[in-house]
Amino acid sequence: MGCGVSKSGHFHKHSGKALRAAVLIQRWYRQYVARTEMRRRYTWNIFQSIEYSGEQAQIKLYNFLGYLMDNFTPSSNERNLISHIFRENEVCQDAEWERYFCYNNIEVPEIYSGPHLTFPLTANQAVGLVEAFRNKKQLHSRYVLQLLMETWKRLRMLPNINRISTCHSKEIAICGDLHGQLEDLLLIFYKNGMPSLEKPYVFNGDFVDRGKDSIEILLILFSFMLVYPGDVYLNRGNHEDHIVNLRYGFTKEVLTKYRMHGKRILKLLQKIFSWLPLATVIDQKVLVLHGGISDSTDLGILARVDRHNYVSALRPPKKRHHVATGISIDSDTDEDLGFSNKIGQRRASLVYPKPLGTRDCFHNRSLQDLTDRIKANTEDELEIRRKKQSLLNSAVSKPEKDSMSVSSESLNSDNTKEEWKQILDLLWSDPMSQDGCVPNEVRGGGCYWGPNVTEDFLNRHSLQLIIRSHECKEDGYEFCHNRKVLTLFSASNYYDVGSNRGAYVKLGPDLVPYLIQYQASSMTRELTVRQSVGQTERSALKVLREQLFAHKSDLICAFKKFDRGNTGHVSLNDWASAVESVMHLNLPWRMLRCQLVTCKTSDGMIDYQDWFNELAIKGPNTDHIDQSLLETLYRHRSTLETIFRIVDTDNSGFITIEDFRQTWKLLSVYLKMEITEEAISDLAVTIDSNQDGSIDIDEFMEAFRLTDKKSRLERGRSMFMGTTTDLTKLEGNPNI
């Protein structure tokens, strides 16, 4: 009996221990899951903040350059350096363009081992192109131009909004952003099959930039569209824009792969991008578009716009006077076409130099704001316009109404601005969880729209679902707005290996989305969740350290506000507060301290000077270079590279010392900073080691890279090394 009681007590004792152990394990596991989720979230936040600030910086830079074009005299050096990127509305007949893009005089050498194309293309040739690119072959420039010419002709026949239907025998596959990642496209084709009569596809924009195989993706998609015009549909994305391509790698990729004819290929692609359809409607119920909608989006207006006028969606087309002779009076023409514009030259001499004005003139919070802010509104400008019109009328005899190819009012009226806003919103907008519609200040263009806007839009147009892309999602897709908006992103490992899956969706006659996820790299498929989060986190922290170092002077100012005694030390709380006040990334800095800071004193204080030494950049000997100039270079490296690419008008990869100086002057005006001639000269001497009087752009940018090796985040994609509020804060910073 006693023995039984003893055994029972022993049993209860052990079961109590087991229960406590189970509770401890459960508690540990919950903490582990919570920590992993927190790491995943802040990693994502780091990557996304950098991506969106880069887009905002590119829009601001383009607006600033546009402001210079509108306000500087035609003969000024600054205007001459940048004017060619605004030659986007040359006026000439299609036949003249076809002569410019002619490929007949380009010979294909016998030693060429890549694919050969004949037209009209066949399905076998399109499949052969896929296999050739899989095996790292390159298509000859003659065939590239020929394929692009056929694509241009085909796109000009298409409406702004394609309308297609499903049927029981085949489902439509819809793909989101690919961003030059060929392995993702190949995996989609492996899983779903090549495009064909039985396998229709809709590709929803952002085919190019950031990845290394953008031109190959375009050529594959264009070839299948030509072979199956009723089964392969392409929508335009915000990266199908030559101004965006300058920053994010596509321009450089084409010029590197096609050194001889790259410039012509890029010019033809500008035309093609402007002719890409804006949206696709499936079974009159599902709308597929790249970015999104706003509270003013109207499919009726979008169906009527002349989409090819919007070569870049970043600003509305300029007012043009087209006369019967075909001369454009208000646009720069392309020297490659050999057109002259004597009237325009004489008219332009009446434009007087104007002061650049305050920062608000070009550092706008949104694209819409900028258009309103830099409108001509002074007596002088009105007088100048009257003189221009008077000269125009005297130089060109007034044509008959029906001989005008395009009326001047049609391109600069309120209607044009409304059309531009419709296209801008469609390409750049993002959904939000709250009701309403507000400017998208994070990206700098488009808007954020809420569930109520979605509901109203769907009801007005008798639709039931919006499928859009434009945003990277960890699972490759995400539903929002009561599952009436589906975001689809097809570029896996976008930020880094293991950062996200890709996805595509299939729609049958029931219009119920069937989602397929994947990860293109076999290495990522073998990683555990912990390994995947850890690897992505390390990459994000590396990028974050670079940003922190690039904001050194701002951070030191912030630390000194807490360090009243000038000890060089701050507490953990003060360190976290100071860093957030500068970076504005909304990150758990206290939690991140262990990964970012190792230099603590015995009492737990942080030695911030030692911390900056830990973050120090290993690069060329920069001791003799002005430190404020150096920090500007690191922080605005991508903006500087974009200006270099613009200044390099012959696309040689080299610029003269004088152009190098002009580039820095442009940057200094853009950032409202004083950069001395002496500091620029010292920098030029450092880079021009062989003293040949020219600067190799790639060597210059590599020499001042923040880390020894490009991260996957940066590879093929120039990211802006700054936060949203950088440009505003620079002006008042005494250290710069």
Side-chain angles (χ1 to χ4, degrees):
M1 190 75 176
C3 185
V5 171
S6 174
K7 283 181 180 178
S8 175
H10 189 66
F11 172 77
H12 285 301
K13 184 177 179 182
H14 278 287
S15 64
K17 284 183 178 179
L19 189 61
R20 283 196 297 275
V23 170
L24 285 172
I25 291 170
Q26 189 180 55
R27 187 180 301 163
W28 171 86
Y29 180 73
R30 284 176 177 167
Q31 289 174 346
Y32 165 76
V33 170
R35 280 197 305 272
T36 302
E37 177 62 14
M38 176 65 82
R39 289 167 63 197
R40 185 195 65 77
R41 284 186 182 180
Y42 71 62
T43 297
W44 198 259
N45 201 339
I46 292 169
F47 281 138
Q48 207 162 57
S49 296
I50 294 168
E51 179 185 12
Y52 290 171
S53 61
E55 289 185 343
Q56 186 184 102
Q58 177 66 0
I59 289 173
K60 287 181 177 179
L61 176 62
Y62 183 57
N63 288 334
F64 165 69
L65 298 178
Y67 182 84
L68 295 189
M69 284 293 296
D70 294 340
N71 290 273
F72 278 17
T73 56
S75 60
S76 69
N77 289 335
E78 293 87 352
R79 197 179 193 278
N80 290 338
L81 280 172
I82 62 176
S83 62
H84 65 97
I85 68 166
F86 293 94
R87 295 187 186 118
E88 52 196 39
N89 289 318
E90 297 91 340
V91 182
C92 61
Q93 302 301 314
D94 288 343
E96 293 173 310
W97 277 119
E98 289 178 20
R99 281 198 296 274
Y100 174 62
F101 296 130
C102 182
Y103 47 80
N104 291 328
N105 59 347
I106 303 174
E107 291 188 7
V108 180
E110 290 184 10
I111 59 170
Y112 170 68
S113 60
H116 292 262
L117 300 182
T118 58
F119 292 84
L121 277 180
T122 65
N124 285 341
Q125 285 182 308
V127 172
L129 206 55
V130 173
E131 293 307 314
F133 292 153
R134 189 200 306 275
N135 295 318
K136 311 299 181 188
K137 301 269 184 159
Q138 185 169 308
L139 186 64
H140 194 274
S141 56
R142 176 195 169 98
Y143 298 131
V144 172
L145 282 167
Q146 197 170 1
L147 177 58
L148 294 181
M149 280 296 294
E150 294 300 316
T151 301
W152 183 38
K153 292 174 186 175
R154 168 63 190 161
L155 289 174
R156 279 150 51 192
M157 298 166 59
L158 297 179
N160 292 347
I161 301 174
N162 282 312
R163 296 183 179 272
I164 61 179
S165 302
T166 60
C167 68
H168 290 286
S169 61
K170 56 186 181 184
E171 296 174 308
I172 296 175
I174 304 159
C175 302
D177 297 32
L178 288 165
H179 278 304
Q181 297 186 190
L182 181 60
E183 55 187 0
D184 286 300
L185 181 61
L186 296 177
L187 186 53
I188 292 169
F189 286 169
Y190 173 77
K191 283 177 165 290
N192 192 63
M194 297 275 190
S196 67
L197 295 174
E198 293 73 35
K199 298 283 184 181
Y201 278 86
V202 176
F203 294 94
N204 198 24
D206 277 15
F207 317 120
V208 302
D209 279 335
R210 299 195 170 110
K212 66 184 188 305
D213 298 313
S214 295
I215 187 67
E216 286 78 12
I217 285 179
L218 283 180
L219 296 174
I220 288 171
L221 298 185
F222 291 161
S223 64
F224 278 115
M225 183 192 70
L226 291 173
V227 174
Y228 301 109
D231 297 280
V232 175
Y233 299 90
L234 310 180
N235 289 341
R236 186 177 184 177
N238 66 307
H239 278 262
E240 277 68 63
D241 186 314
H242 71 286
I243 299 300
V244 178
N245 301 154
L246 277 168
R247 186 185 194 96
Y248 290 100
F250 181 54
T251 300
K252 183 179 176 182
E253 178 193 329
V254 173
L255 294 174
T256 302
K257 291 178 178 178
Y258 295 97
R259 293 185 182 276
M260 184 76 73
H261 301 287
K263 192 174 181 182
R264 270 202 283 177
I265 290 170
L266 285 172
K267 194 68 183 175
L268 184 46
L269 282 168
Q270 278 187 34
K271 297 287 172 191
I272 286 171
F273 287 168
S274 72
W275 278 103
L276 284 168
L278 302 174
T280 302
V281 175
I282 302 173
D283 287 350
Q284 302 181 49
K285 289 296 178 184
V286 177
L287 175 66
V288 184
L289 44 66
H290 180 72
I293 60 172
S294 71
D295 52 5
S296 62
T297 298
D298 187 323
L299 294 185
I301 295 175
L302 286 167
R304 294 191 302 270
V305 302
D306 291 326
R307 66 181 187 272
H308 62 279
N309 286 331
Y310 300 86
V311 179
S312 173
L314 295 183
R315 77 179 201 163
K318 282 189 69 175
K319 181 178 181 179
R320 295 181 295 163
H321 297 273
H322 294 192
V323 294
T325 57
I327 297 173
S328 170
I329 303 303
D330 198 60
S331 65
D332 296 293
T333 52
D334 197 307
E335 67 277 10
D336 293 320
L337 291 164
F339 299 131
S340 62
N341 190 353
K342 302 297 183 187
I343 299 170
Q345 289 169 8
R346 279 179 285 170
R347 176 204 57 77
S349 65
L350 290 174
V351 180
Y352 307 134
K354 307 177 188 71
L356 191 60
T358 63
R359 174 183 306 280
D360 287 341
C361 290
F362 49 88
H363 284 312
N364 54 302
R365 299 295 292 189
S366 69
L367 281 169
Q368 291 90 331
D369 289 346
L370 181 108
T371 305
D372 294 330
R373 289 180 189 181
I374 63 174
K375 274 183 177 174
N377 56 9
T378 65
E379 298 269 344
D380 289 343
E381 291 188 43
L382 290 172
E383 180 61 28
I384 291 167
R385 288 184 178 184
R386 279 194 290 271
K387 288 180 181 179
K388 288 183 193 176
Q389 191 61 47
S390 173
L391 179 63
L392 180 67
N393 292 338
S394 62
V396 183
S397 58
K398 193 173 181 180
E400 293 297 321
K401 210 168 192 178
D402 58 358
S403 70
M404 298 285 282
S405 57
V406 180
S407 72
S408 59
E409 288 80 16
S410 68
L411 274 176
N412 202 39
S413 62
D414 290 339
N415 286 343
T416 301
K417 185 178 175 184
E418 174 58 29
E419 287 178 0
W420 169 67
K421 186 179 181 304
Q422 294 269 333
I423 291 175
L424 182 70
D425 288 341
L426 181 143
L427 296 177
W428 282 86
S429 296
D430 296 304
M432 64 178 180
S433 55
Q434 303 88 359
D435 281 347
C437 186
V438 297
N440 191 331
E441 295 182 351
V442 176
R443 290 189 192 266
C447 69
Y448 283 114
W449 88 92
N452 63 321
V453 176
T454 294
E455 193 71 35
D456 176 65
F457 176 84
L458 294 178
N459 289 337
R460 276 191 290 117
H461 293 90
S462 301
L463 297 166
Q464 66 185 44
L465 177 66
I466 296 171
I467 298 179
R468 44 90 62 177
S469 302
H470 195 44
E471 283 185 286
C472 182
K473 297 297 179 183
E474 189 179 13
D475 293 321
Y477 74 93
E478 183 178 273
F479 281 100
C480 64
H481 296 184
N482 302 315
R483 294 181 69 86
K484 292 180 179 177
V485 173
L486 169 61
T487 297
L488 197 62
F489 199 83
S490 299
S492 64
N493 308 305
Y494 178 67
Y495 292 128
D496 197 6
V497 176
S499 64
N500 66 286
R501 295 177 182 178
Y504 63 95
V505 67
K506 295 170 77 170
L507 284 181
D510 59 2
L511 298 181
V512 176
Y514 176 64
L515 287 145
I516 297 94
Q517 298 169 287
Y518 54 86
Q519 207 133 19
S521 170
S522 59
M523 185 176 74
T524 59
R525 291 194 291 273
E526 294 163 6
L527 294 176
T528 64
V529 172
R530 183 176 181 180
Q531 288 171 329
S532 179
V533 170
Q535 182 165 317
T536 310
E537 179 189 38
R538 283 190 294 276
S539 180
L541 289 170
K542 181 180 176 182
V543 174
L544 185 58
R545 289 188 190 97
E546 294 171 3
Q547 280 216 347
L548 289 166
F549 187 86
H551 290 78
K552 179 178 177 180
S553 56
D554 283 356
L555 286 166
I556 286 177
C557 287
F559 290 143
K560 285 185 174 178
K561 290 178 182 176
F562 291 101
D563 181 22
R564 301 292 186 188
N566 204 25
T567 63
H569 300 156
V570 291
S571 67
L572 172 59
N573 281 341
D574 290 345
W575 175 85
S577 299
V579 172
E580 179 57 30
S581 71
V582 170
M583 304 304 292
H584 300 282
L585 291 175
N586 196 27
L587 296 174
W589 294 106
R590 286 170 57 88
M591 180 179 172
L592 287 171
R593 192 265 306 163
C594 295
Q595 288 98 320
L596 295 174
V597 183
T598 58
C599 46
K600 289 191 301 180
T601 61
S602 55
D603 57 355
M605 300 286 279
I606 293 173
D607 186 323
Y608 53 86
Q609 291 291 355
D610 280 355
W611 180 53
F612 281 115
N613 291 335
E614 280 185 8
L615 296 173
I617 297 164
K618 309 292 189 294
N621 183 8
T622 57
D623 294 341
H624 63 291
I625 298 175
D626 182 87
Q627 290 304 297
S628 65
L629 181 67
L630 198 60
E631 185 172 330
T632 302
L633 197 162
Y634 288 130
R635 189 184 303 193
H636 302 289
R637 183 178 176 281
S638 295
T639 298
L640 183 63
E641 182 173 6
T642 302
I643 300 176
F644 277 148
R645 300 287 172 202
I646 294 169
V647 170
D648 179 24
T649 52
D650 62 355
N651 303 306
S652 65
F654 293 86
I655 57 173
T656 65
I657 296 291
E658 182 54 34
D659 285 347
F660 181 80
R661 294 178 196 278
Q662 292 294 339
T663 300
W664 275 98
K665 286 179 181 176
L666 272 177
L667 188 68
S668 68
V669 175
Y670 175 53
L671 299 176
K672 296 287 283 182
M673 292 170 53
E674 280 295 326
I675 301 178
T676 66
E677 287 278 356
E678 184 182 3
I680 297 172
S681 296
D682 288 344
L683 190 58
V685 168
T686 301
I687 299 303
D688 186 21
S689 53
N690 61 358
Q691 298 183 332
D692 65 351
S694 65
I695 302 289
D696 184 319
I697 299 172
D698 286 332
E699 280 188 16
F700 178 84
M701 301 317 299
E702 288 296 323
F704 291 92
R705 187 170 300 288
L706 285 161
T707 53
D708 296 331
K709 185 181 178 184
K710 277 189 181 181
S711 66
R712 187 178 177 91
L713 176 73
E714 189 182 9
R715 198 176 306 135
R717 6 172 150 170
S718 297
M719 288 296 192
F720 174 67
M721 289 299 300
T723 60
T724 304
T725 54
D726 264 341
L727 300 175
T728 308
K729 290 163 58 201
L730 276 169
E731 190 175 23
N733 188 345
N735 291 321
I736 297 184

